[in-house]
Amino acid sequence: MDSVSVLISGAGPTGLTLGLELARRGVPVRIVDKEESFTTASRGKAGIQPRTLEVFYDLGVIDKVLASGTQRLPFRRYRRDRLINETIPYLDNAPTQGEPFRRLHFMPQSRVEEILRERLAEYGVAVELGTELVEFEQTDGGRVTATLATARGTEQLSAAYLVGSDGGRSLVRKQLGISFEGFTEEEKQLIVGDVRIDGLAPDAWYQWLDLDLGVVMLCPLSGTRSWQIQATPPPDVDGRPMEPSVQALQQAVDRATGMPIRVHDATWLSTSRINVRMADRLRVSRVFLAGDAAHVHPVLGALGANTGVQDAYNLGWKLALVLAGAAPELLDTYQEERLPVARWTLDTSVASTRAVFEEMTGGSGGAEAGLTQETLQLGLEYRASSLSRAMLGATDTGVQAGDRAPDSVCLDMAGQLVRLFDVFRGPHFTLLGFGAGCETALREVAAGAADDLRTCLLGERPAAYGLGADTLVLVRPDGYVGLTAPSGDSAAVLGYLGSLLGGTVPAATA
């Protein structure tokens, strides 16, 4: 029986991100997907949020991502053939020192997956298509035995851990017996698909939102000649919603727009319903859930694949550390930190859907109503996590343990400019010393800490961190602050790292 450290079921953005996080740490990983070929369907085209762009910066794919889409997509609202308004979401969100990405980035999900696969290939990992996880069991010996079905027959595989990133109908979740509580509004559905469009310039996301005539939204897909369409299905002869087809889409467009727009050459068609559900657990011993397998929600707000990518970014470094000898209890913090984010995602996407509906009934705005500063996900934090430690005497202003670590371009003690996101980039912890008073502590920590720590002594306290005194800030591999401590408290940093990397999760500090 073959053996692997981590088996990932599902090769969407979540599974690919997790595979990349593990591969760059040298963890043996297999990623399987039951599909026979890679999809070219746009699927989640709504956008990549700034926090996910920061993840992609760390993973080394940001240049390809930014070159494959746009952040200046006008939302153009019509009533029949009359233009009502046009807006570009987040146009005023200029980059800042602490937040270099502050706008939604529009590109097809299929291109995101292609870029992640290309990066994975650099580490010698390829997605195994036509390979379906059909069952698994956790053995008394502390392994997961998985059965994979392929065109060649079945295969038995032993894995230290299994991660189900296999979508809303997750086999992994179902076999674990984890409940998926929530609701589905069957009557509220849209036909969606990738099509060619004649009669419109591909320079905006065109939107017709009408309670009587139906919804039609047409969005050009960057780098292609296709558009993604979302439309209220017209009724068939019996009054039931029509199944997805070019004919049904054309009828919907004709009814809502009254314009000479022609729909043709569909390459992907599906039906979308409002589905709001969340798993009550993300871990059962050696098996985990991530992405849509753990939470599904309305698309408005553009949070779906983004939240899955960030699930994987949280889990990957923890799995790697535990496989290298860290405390198995570290893996409990994945659920501790990500379940609240899943709940926030569901609540926020539902609120975004409600906001768009209110704009729709008001007759003025469109899908931009569902996009807020909150949905950028830059404010998500883990302050309540057992991994977040603010030591006595540390500053109580500015960045806090559990916060996202801001970027900044600042001077080090040698007078050289450094960019913090470049210092963070890679699979290591980073200890920042803000101010000359941290020099001795950084030297002591560097001498006594594990190899996967990088130190950086800065000659200033950048505004993005809001620190009022010289301070030590320990940044986790996923770009969140794990510890803040006074400038001379090397013992606090060494204690935190030693307990985390050497066998126990850091104990709470009184």
Side-chain angles (χ1 to χ4, degrees):
M1 183 187 300
D2 287 342
S3 179
V4 72
S5 293
V6 181
L7 172 64
I8 301 171
S9 177
T14 301
L16 292 169
T17 299
L18 179 58
L20 185 49
E21 273 289 87
L22 294 168
R24 70 175 181 161
R25 291 174 167 84
V27 175
V29 59
R30 286 179 64 177
I31 308 173
V32 300
D33 197 288
K34 65 182 180 181
E35 299 299 328
E36 297 293 335
S37 60
F38 296 122
T39 182
T40 58
S42 60
R43 294 187 293 182
K45 64 92 191 59
I48 304 174
Q49 297 289 1
R51 178 55 191 156
T52 304
L53 292 174
E54 294 180 352
V55 174
F56 289 162
Y57 188 96
D58 180 40
L59 295 178
V61 298
I62 189 63
D63 291 342
K64 286 186 176 180
V65 167
L66 294 180
S68 300
T70 181
Q71 296 179 18
R72 295 180 62 87
L73 181 67
F75 285 27
R76 197 169 288 165
R77 172 78 187 271
Y78 281 81
R79 180 175 295 118
R80 297 288 281 170
D81 60 352
R82 181 167 62 89
L83 177 66
I84 297 175
N85 73 335
E86 180 176 314
T87 185
I88 299 178
Y90 304 118
L91 186 62
D92 296 332
N93 274 21
T96 68
Q97 279 279 311
E99 298 175 347
F101 308 109
R102 300 187 66 236
R103 295 179 178 132
L104 197 61
H105 184 74
F106 296 89
M107 64 182 292
Q109 181 176 312
S110 56
R111 176 56 181 151
V112 176
E113 294 173 2
E114 182 181 26
I115 290 169
L116 292 173
R117 289 195 302 268
E118 290 170 352
R119 183 67 168 144
L120 260 173
E122 297 176 20
Y123 293 94
V125 178
V127 173
E128 300 175 42
L129 290 172
T131 305
E132 181 178 5
L133 174 68
V134 292
E135 62 179 358
F136 62 89
E137 64 175 349
Q138 303 196 57
T139 67
D140 294 337
R143 303 284 291 183
V144 180
T145 300
T147 301
L148 306 176
T150 72
R152 302 177 302 278
T154 60
E155 174 191 355
Q156 296 291 311
L157 177 69
S158 175
Y161 295 98
L162 166 65
V163 180
S165 56
D166 49 346
R169 298 179 180 178
S170 170
L171 176 140
V172 175
R173 186 190 66 244
K174 291 175 181 176
Q175 188 166 327
L176 289 173
I178 293 177
S179 64
F180 206 41
E181 299 298 329
F183 61 90
T184 301
E185 297 185 0
E186 293 287 350
E187 70 282 2
K188 294 182 179 178
Q189 58 181 268
L190 294 174
I191 304 173
V192 297
D194 294 346
V195 298
R196 295 287 182 87
I197 293 292
D198 295 334
L200 292 175
D203 61 351
W205 188 359
Y206 295 81
Q207 303 173 21
W208 291 262
L209 308 174
D210 193 294
L211 291 176
D212 297 320
L213 300 177
V215 170
V216 168
M217 294 189 285
L218 291 164
C219 185
L221 298 172
S222 296
T224 77
R225 296 173 60 192
S226 296
W227 298 63
Q228 188 185 92
I229 185 170
Q230 299 164 286
T232 303
D236 62 17
V237 293
D238 297 319
R240 293 188 297 265
M242 294 180 67
E243 294 295 319
S245 68
V246 170
Q247 179 187 7
L249 290 170
Q250 188 67 63
Q251 288 187 32
V253 168
D254 292 343
R255 181 184 182 190
T257 74
M259 296 170 64
I261 301 170
R262 179 172 170 259
V263 182
H264 59 100
D265 292 334
T267 56
W268 169 67
L269 292 170
S270 185
T271 299
S272 171
R273 296 174 177 83
I274 292 181
N275 200 11
V276 183
R277 296 185 182 276
M278 189 177 98
D280 62 357
R281 290 171 290 163
L282 300 183
R283 179 189 185 191
V284 176
S285 188
R286 290 178 169 268
V287 183
F288 299 82
L289 299 177
D292 286 356
H295 40 75
V296 294
H297 43 83
V299 298
L300 294 170
L303 297 173
N306 292 279
T307 302
V309 165
Q310 292 165 46
D311 285 346
Y313 196 52
N314 183 287
L315 179 58
W317 68 274
K318 296 173 181 178
L319 277 171
L321 283 184
V322 171
L323 285 163
E329 291 80 12
L330 175 62
L331 296 175
D332 291 335
T333 67
Y334 169 63
Q335 175 172 294
E336 177 190 359
E337 293 180 342
R338 295 306 295 175
L339 262 185
V341 173
R343 171 53 59 193
W344 173 88
T345 300
L346 266 63
D347 291 344
T348 302
S349 60
V350 169
S352 292
T353 301
R354 187 179 304 116
V356 173
F357 184 79
E358 290 173 356
E359 288 291 324
M360 178 177 167
T361 56
S364 56
E368 72 280 356
L371 303 175
T372 67
Q373 297 300 318
E374 190 177 29
T375 61
L376 299 177
Q377 297 185 301
L378 294 172
L380 294 177
E381 41 82 10
Y382 304 135
R383 291 186 180 182
S385 169
S386 58
L387 294 183
S388 300
R389 292 283 171 264
M391 307 306 294
L392 294 177
T395 178
D396 58 1
T397 61
V399 70
Q400 300 290 304
D403 288 352
R404 163 194 162 274
D407 192 15
S408 187
V409 176
C410 45
L411 293 171
D412 64 14
M413 289 302 295
Q416 301 296 313
L417 283 175
V418 295
R419 182 179 182 182
L420 294 186
F421 271 14
D422 288 336
V423 176
F424 301 157
R425 182 183 254 179
H428 54 266
F429 286 84
T430 304
L431 179 61
L432 301 175
F434 290 100
C438 300
E439 183 173 4
T440 299
L442 255 68
R443 187 165 56 247
E444 293 171 348
V445 171
D451 292 337
D452 54 355
L453 173 75
R454 180 179 296 175
T455 62
C456 183
L457 181 61
L458 301 168
E460 59 179 313
R461 300 193 296 270
Y465 279 73
L467 300 171
D470 289 1
T471 306
L472 297 170
V473 175
L474 181 66
V475 181
R476 305 176 351 175
D478 59 353
Y480 282 86
V481 176
L483 174 80
T484 58
S487 59
D489 199 351
S490 59
V493 181
L494 287 169
Y496 182 97
L497 288 171
S499 60
L500 186 64
L501 303 178
T504 60
V505 174
T509 303

